[in-house]
Amino acid sequence: MTTHTEDTTTVEYTAERPARLEWAKHAPEVYKAMVRLETAARKGLDHTLYELVKIRASQINHCAFCIDMHTKDALASGESVERIVQLSAWDESRHFYTAKELAALELTEAVTVLTDGFVPDEVYENAAKHFDEAELSAVIAAIAVINAWNRFGVTCRMAPGHYRPGQHA
């Protein structure tokens, strides 16, 4: 149980749920491979765009651990609170983002939510207008990697709130 005091009022939060499994401890080679994949995927991508993609995919996948990590990293690197807050409704808040960022967010949603079908041609073509082939490949890789991290985070119930910006840089 966590308590927080605001002025004269004490608020009691519910207890943190423990992680189900420390998967990285039990599968260290997989963890190391994921870190190498993460490092390769981020090469050549704008850091701000990369963080926006990671936050948005994590929101869709309900990965609280990754939302915590990537919002903290984005804020620490200068991203605005306003753009992060609006990210969950980016399609209604388009004026907060560049055309390139919007193309990446749209592609992130299409790749992350494959239960809706294949990535639509118009989504892919829009992204291809904003990124050269190397950048587009990197964006797709970044989306795939964060989705994999999200699967570990959600399945193992990794607890948010303990990450410090740059901790896993």
Side-chain angles (χ1 to χ4, degrees):
M1 174 114 26
T2 303
T3 58
H4 177 73
T5 304
E6 291 181 19
D7 299 322
T8 59
T9 307
T10 300
V11 177
E12 290 190 31
Y13 295 107
T14 59
E16 181 178 296
R17 294 180 353 174
R20 289 179 174 154
L21 176 70
E22 292 182 51
W23 76 271
K25 175 180 165 185
H26 298 289
E29 293 306 314
V30 175
Y31 178 77
K32 290 175 194 172
M34 285 293 297
V35 170
R36 287 190 305 272
L37 187 58
E38 171 86 20
T39 300
R42 83 174 66 176
K43 286 190 179 180
L45 282 182
D46 174 75
H47 179 74
T48 299
L49 183 131
Y50 190 64
E51 289 297 338
L52 292 174
V53 163
K54 292 193 293 188
I55 295 166
R56 184 63 192 130
S58 300
Q59 289 172 335
I60 294 165
N61 290 321
H62 305 281
C63 185
F65 180 85
C66 291
I67 292 168
D68 179 59
M69 175 188 295
H70 298 300
T71 56
K72 286 175 178 175
D73 281 346
L75 288 166
S77 67
E79 183 57 82
S80 74
V81 171
E82 190 171 44
R83 282 173 32 106
I84 292 172
V85 168
Q86 291 300 320
L87 196 52
S88 65
W90 66 267
D91 200 30
E92 297 295 322
S93 305
R94 298 176 76 82
H95 59 286
F96 287 96
Y97 308 99
T98 67
K100 193 171 189 174
E101 290 169 341
L102 290 169
L105 293 171
E106 185 177 40
L107 186 61
T108 299
E109 293 208 3
V111 172
T112 300
V113 188
L114 288 175
T115 55
D116 291 347
F118 295 102
V119 174
D121 289 340
E122 58 274 7
V123 170
Y124 181 87
E125 290 163 6
N126 184 43
K129 286 191 311 191
H130 294 282
F131 298 94
D132 64 31
E133 289 183 344
E135 281 182 305
L136 184 56
S137 297
V139 171
I140 294 167
I143 296 166
V145 172
I146 191 58
N147 273 280
W149 283 120
N150 290 164
R151 269 60 177 173
F152 286 112
V154 171
T155 303
C156 298
R157 193 185 287 142
M158 295 171 67
H162 304 285
Y163 179 78
R164 299 295 167 252
Q167 182 178 332
H168 294 298

